[in-house]
Amino acid sequence: MKIVVLAGGLSPERDVSLSSGSLIANALIETGHRVMLLDLYKGIDLPGDLDDLFTDVDSPHRYQYTVPAMEPDLTQLKAEADMGDVLMGKNVLDLCRSADLVFIALHGDIGENGKLQAVFDVYGIRYTGTGYAGSLLAMDKDLSKQIMKNHGIPTPEWMLFHCETDDPAQVEDQIGFPCIVKPCNGGSSIGVSIVADRAGFDLAIRAAQKYEGAVVVEKLIAGREFSVGILDGTALSVIEIIPNEGFFDYINKYQAGRTQEICPADLHSEVSARMQAVAVQVHEALRLKDYSRIDFMLDGADNIFCLEANTLPGMTPTSLLPQEALVSGISYNELCNKIAEMALR
């Protein structure tokens, strides 16, 4: 197939996306596809022959991108590209229409909130992953938690807090401290803070406001953190996430050696099976499609709490889904090829 791997974008998670996209593109090349990696935001000038943009297995060219320790400066990016807040760059749509398939390797914002999927549906462009409705439901943490609650899926107590208008006293009354503050539609733990008291809450709100005007304030669950990938309707092995220090924030997620990831997780078989069953339930309740990753906390009494669902889980060297797939005997290249093939069904 001729495949466009779409990555980057105008998102705080663009560096993670470019790393994922580079590896995905290389994997698809190695499995026999003709591939190009395309930055959604920057776009590209077209050559006389579009085929010149695509790389096949006989070419020595391969993609490479390393995630920096700090998130990207989007203000600087916009100034350098001289494109302002436009979300889709030059010739992106034409190139996507010319391909057999678009492999969406974006993280955050337009890649995961359903906008891009809706545009592709309008133009009849085939793409990987979940459609626009499931993407929207999973990306909005308040909406997804409401759906979980309505389906009887345990999730930490929470409230939606509007930074400019709501009274922090509501948080103390409804949630209490300690708690977690996270942007309602963010990812990669960008803008996330663990809050111990009112002073910490005020600082956390200021940090989160850089990204969004509304945040989810969630009761902190003390315990162990896990994730379960879903591939073609089946739960993969449970993976445990143990940062060497702090919590599973942006640096600990994407800098090698800062977090231990144990797969299969050291859990009683009954707890693992229960967590996998809940992961499938979340996947179905949120109308997710070919693959996803569902994140959990487990308290000291083995109570499971679903934190959120990821419709485009990371595919970097330190990402969780590829590690889980490997335990099931699915190599990285096979995983990428399987996701592409599922999109064509």
Side-chain angles (χ1 to χ4, degrees):
M1 286 188 288
K2 189 160 70 170
I3 301 176
V4 168
V5 176
L6 202 55
L10 189 62
S11 163
E13 297 173 74
R14 69 173 274 112
D15 287 329
V16 183
S17 169
L18 288 166
S19 178
S20 290
S22 297
L23 289 170
I24 291 166
N26 292 341
L28 294 172
I29 291 168
E30 294 299 328
T31 50
H33 301 288
R34 301 180 61 242
V35 182
M36 75 163 298
L37 178 64
L38 179 61
D39 187 329
L40 174 68
Y41 178 66
K42 289 186 175 181
I44 194 170
D45 292 321
L46 297 182
D49 187 351
L50 292 184
D51 284 348
D52 292 342
L53 296 172
F54 290 82
T55 299
D56 61 25
V57 71
D58 294 327
S59 168
H61 174 68
R62 295 296 183 267
Y63 298 97
Q64 186 173 359
Y65 194 90
T66 301
V67 180
M70 300 303 294
E71 65 192 77
D73 184 337
L74 298 183
T75 301
Q76 181 180 347
L77 173 67
K78 287 189 282 188
E80 290 173 354
D82 194 25
M83 289 179 54
D85 293 322
V86 173
L87 295 179
M88 188 176 291
K90 183 168 54 175
N91 299 315
V92 167
L93 196 56
D94 288 336
L95 275 166
C96 290
R97 294 180 72 184
S98 75
D100 299 311
L101 177 70
V102 176
F103 197 119
I104 301 179
L106 294 155
H107 302 311
D109 294 342
I110 188 173
E112 291 190 82
N113 62 16
K115 291 180 181 179
L116 182 67
Q117 289 81 358
V119 170
F120 283 174
D121 285 346
V122 168
Y123 284 93
I125 296 170
R126 289 183 179 270
Y127 56 89
T128 56
T130 292
Y132 71 90
S135 298
L136 168 65
L137 294 176
M139 186 65 168
D140 188 313
K141 293 177 177 59
D142 179 52
L143 275 178
S144 61
K145 286 168 75 71
Q146 289 183 49
I147 292 170
M148 289 182 213
K149 185 176 180 180
N150 289 340
H151 281 76
I153 297 166
T155 186
E157 184 181 352
W158 85 99
M159 66 177 291
L160 183 65
F161 186 86
H162 296 89
C163 302
E164 295 290 343
T165 58
D166 287 349
D167 185 351
Q170 294 176 273
V171 175
E172 294 186 68
D173 292 340
Q174 295 184 38
I175 305 299
F177 300 117
C179 65
I180 296 180
V181 173
K182 56 181 77 172
C184 188
N185 291 277
S188 290
S189 296
I190 293 173
V192 174
S193 301
I194 295 179
V195 174
D197 51 32
R198 172 61 188 275
F201 180 76
D202 293 339
L203 291 173
I205 289 298
R206 286 200 291 272
Q209 269 185 298
K210 289 169 51 182
Y211 309 101
E212 210 168 335
V215 299
V216 165
V217 183
E218 189 176 73
K219 185 176 181 64
L220 179 68
I221 304 297
R224 300 161 66 188
E225 188 168 359
F226 300 88
S227 192
V228 179
I230 305 293
L231 184 63
D232 202 10
T234 300
L236 299 174
S237 295
V238 179
I239 188 168
E240 183 170 9
I241 304 150
I242 309 173
N244 295 337
E245 59 181 58
F247 71 103
F248 199 40
D249 60 8
Y250 188 83
I251 292 177
N252 285 335
K253 282 184 175 179
Y254 301 117
Q255 299 304 304
R258 296 184 65 98
T259 298
Q260 300 176 59
E261 286 130 4
I262 301 169
C263 189
D266 183 14
L267 284 172
H268 189 281
S269 58
E270 182 276 331
V271 178
S272 287
R274 185 154 44 94
M275 193 177 292
Q276 288 172 310
V278 175
V280 172
Q281 189 181 3
V282 173
H283 183 91
E284 293 174 349
L286 295 178
R287 304 182 188 180
L288 309 188
K289 201 178 175 188
D290 296 335
Y291 72 114
S292 69
R293 198 194 74 233
I294 317 298
D295 297 338
F296 295 96
M297 290 299 297
L298 183 75
D299 70 11
D302 284 345
N303 295 308
I304 294 169
F305 297 88
C306 183
L307 301 177
E308 62 183 76
N310 301 270
T311 57
L312 293 174
M315 298 283 279
T316 71
T318 58
S319 293
L320 305 176
L321 183 71
Q323 294 184 60
E324 295 177 64
L326 188 60
V327 169
S328 298
I330 304 170
S331 70
Y332 187 89
N333 287 8
E334 290 168 336
L335 175 62
C336 294
N337 192 57
K338 182 175 179 63
I339 291 170
E341 289 179 340
M342 285 191 292
L344 293 179
R345 290 191 307 206

